[in-house]
Amino acid sequence: MQTAEVVIIGGGIVGSSIAYHLTAAGCADVLVIERESAQGKGSTGKSMGGVRAQFSTPVNIQMSLYSIPFYAAFDERLGHPAGYRPQGYLFCATHDKHLAYLRTNYEKQVALGLKDVRLISADEIRTMFPQLRSDDIVGGSFCSTDGFVDPYSAMIGFMTWALDQGAKLWKNTPVTGLRFDDRGIAAVETPRGNVATRKVVNCAGAWAPQIAHMAGFDLPVDPLRRMLVPTEPFDQFPHTAPMIIDMSNGFHFRPEGLGFLLAWNDPEETSGYKTDFDPAFIEKILTRAADRVPLFENLAVNPKRAWAGLYEMTPDHHPILGPAPEVPGFFLANGFSGHGVMHAPATGKILSDLILTGSTSLIDSSLLAPSRFAEGRMIEETAVL
Ligand SMILES: Cc1cc2nc3c(=O)[nH]c(=O)nc-3n(C[C@H](O)[C@H](O)[C@H](O)COP(=O)(O)OP(=O)(O)OC[C@H]3O[C@@H](n4cnc5c(N)ncnc54)[C@H](O)[C@@H]3O)c2cc1C
């Protein structure tokens, strides 16, 4: 039987970051097992690539405070581009309650050490982007170090670095079962043979509940379809723009190539493994786009270029990180609720610390421990896009 010190199930950006952080910490005997023929076929390859520190809970802010500087230094550190573009995130408030919310978040962000975030007035937003319909905008918040990365490239960069340091990647290999003995996890089953190991990390993204079932428990992670619509080239709005969020309805967009990438969380979406793009979504999103940016009436969209992918939602919109209760050797890195790309660097560091030393100083890991649901310690994140 083959052996590995740590087996990572799933070669998306989270599994890749954990492989990187483990090897960087000196643990080279790492095997990543990916069922697809290529990496990135899960949610990572579908992501919008947004990275931000403008969150409402301290633990999410702390994860971004590790991750965004990591992405800023990625190319130099890993010798591979992450495509970080610090163009910012601009939240546009259309109600006083939004402003109060942004102010509370701003105070938490600054208290935790975020330097580049500021509250801005409606007039400043009008000056920055006169193309926005601003009659109902009452102010906002902007952070210049928020921005975008290229999720696929970052994932490949993490994995390539880990492979260069001795980690292994098996593609085309689904994990089909787990084996246990009286010490806990003992092996991972695959059609390519079993792998003896004492440490397994579930990084299977939206499919993580299936891996948890192999270990005998239910994981509170639900797949939820998200759709993105890229536009054809459009030069009537600046391409230096940040991610702009219309808080009246959650519509947001950012520049992408010669056009823009449009996103909106349809509240009518229901959970399930749906990855088909619904053409009816185009009209819904274009209506909201033209409502906030009247010039977007002129946008052209090719429905064949639009796509859908899965968010991995948890009940409190925070990831589930750390050792699974009652299954020694089984670790979870799941349920990123739309933030798995931006929090992949911090997740890699946290999981590597927990696997190799049993603790981490990056966050209070008990906050994201799997046991929080059973213990009634959920911490709601409301800044979910
Ligand atoms: C439309 C959309 C927009 C998004 N926008 C953003 C954004 O702007 N910013 C952000 O931070 N996040 C965003 N996200 C979320 C982000 O993409 C995910 O949280 C992140 O990619 C999760 O990474 P992962 O590695 O955990 O999962 P995945 O990338 O899904 O990887 C999981 C891997 O596990 C493999 N796998 C599953 N089962 C098995 C098995 N039995 N055996 C072996 N392998 C298995 C899969 O094939 C897959 O490759 C977005 C997601 C979507 C869908």
Side-chain angles (χ1 to χ4, degrees):
M1 202 192 291
Q2 315 236 19
T3 63
E5 189 173 341
V6 183
V7 172
I8 295 172
I9 303 173
I13 197 164
V14 170
S16 302
S17 172
I18 296 172
Y20 163 83
H21 280 87
L22 282 169
T23 47
C27 173
D29 189 12
V30 173
L31 171 64
V32 182
I33 303 182
E34 167 55 53
R35 68 178 171 191
E36 300 288 349
S37 57
Q39 288 180 260
K41 295 198 171 181
S43 300
T44 302
K46 309 284 171 56
S47 170
M48 199 174 186
V51 297
R52 63 177 157 115
Q54 292 186 82
F55 276 102
S56 73
T57 65
V59 72
N60 270 341
I61 297 166
Q62 284 170 313
M63 289 187 59
S64 295
L65 287 174
Y66 177 88
S67 297
I68 295 175
F70 190 101
Y71 277 131
F74 195 100
D75 306 18
E76 198 178 329
R77 207 153 153 182
L78 281 82
H80 190 97
Y84 172 59
R85 286 187 284 155
Q87 293 186 205
Y89 262 59
L90 172 64
F91 285 84
C92 297
T94 55
H95 196 284
D96 285 346
K97 70 178 183 218
H98 299 153
L99 270 189
Y101 173 75
L102 291 177
R103 177 172 297 283
T104 308
N105 294 350
Y106 164 84
E107 283 163 6
K108 284 184 213 164
Q109 292 152 11
V110 170
L112 285 164
L114 182 62
K115 295 194 177 60
D116 305 291
V117 63
R118 58 196 180 88
L119 294 170
I120 60 177
S121 68
D123 278 345
E124 197 176 345
I125 294 176
R126 275 182 207 110
T127 308
M128 285 165 90
F129 298 107
Q131 302 87 344
L132 295 176
R133 180 180 62 78
S134 60
D135 53 331
D136 59 346
I137 292 181
V138 292
S141 83
F142 178 73
C143 180
S144 60
T145 43
D146 290 350
F148 335 120
V149 296
D150 177 338
Y152 182 83
S153 187
M155 174 189 70
I156 296 295
F158 277 132
M159 187 61 81
T160 304
W161 199 96
L163 297 178
D164 285 348
Q165 304 303 311
K168 294 191 186 71
L169 169 63
W170 287 1
K171 292 190 258 192
N172 265 322
T173 311
V175 167
T176 51
L178 301 172
R179 291 195 178 180
F180 303 90
D181 63 15
D182 52 7
R183 287 171 56 198
I185 210 144
V188 170
E189 298 175 349
T190 83
R192 194 166 157 170
N194 297 345
V195 184
T197 183
R198 287 289 171 199
K199 287 168 183 164
V200 172
V201 197
N202 182 354
C203 297
W207 301 271
Q210 296 160 12
I211 305 294
H213 280 155
M214 296 174 191
F217 65 92
D218 287 333
L219 187 66
V221 170
D222 269 329
L224 183 66
R225 179 170 65 174
R226 279 285 193 275
M227 293 183 270
L228 294 180
V229 177
T231 74
E232 297 299 294
F234 188 81
D235 61 8
Q236 297 168 52
F237 199 94
H239 281 255
T240 49
M243 183 83 80
I244 298 182
I245 301 105
D246 177 349
M247 292 181 78
S248 74
N249 58 18
F251 168 71
H252 52 290
F253 66 98
R254 70 164 176 83
E256 170 67 22
L258 297 175
F260 287 83
L261 195 52
L262 313 180
W264 175 63
N265 153 19
D266 187 341
E268 287 172 13
E269 191 60 78
T270 53
S271 63
Y273 289 96
K274 294 177 270 180
T275 51
D276 55 310
F277 180 80
D278 174 6
F281 184 71
I282 301 232
E283 191 184 333
K284 290 187 191 179
I285 200 163
L286 285 181
T287 305
R288 283 156 183 90
D291 178 57
R292 183 52 60 196
V293 186
L295 282 169
F296 278 177
E297 290 268 1
N298 308 326
L299 280 177
V301 162
N302 176 356
K304 290 196 179 122
R305 292 181 56 232
W307 71 87
L310 297 170
Y311 270 20
E312 331 87 52
M313 303 303 285
T314 63
D316 63 1
H317 303 136
H318 282 81
I320 301 172
L321 304 183
E326 296 170 33
V327 190
F330 189 48
F331 292 81
L332 305 171
N334 305 122
F336 292 89
S337 306
H339 311 133
V341 167
M342 64 183 90
H343 285 164
T347 300
K349 172 72 175 144
I350 292 164
L351 264 292
S352 160
D353 287 349
L354 293 176
I355 291 166
L356 299 178
T357 71
S359 66
T360 183
S361 58
L362 203 155
I363 55 165
D364 171 358
S365 62
S366 70
L367 292 172
L368 302 182
S371 58
R372 72 181 185 272
F373 302 104
E375 294 165 3
R377 296 188 289 107
M378 293 202 272
I379 34 163
E380 183 63 19
E381 173 59 76
T382 44
V384 177
L385 297 178

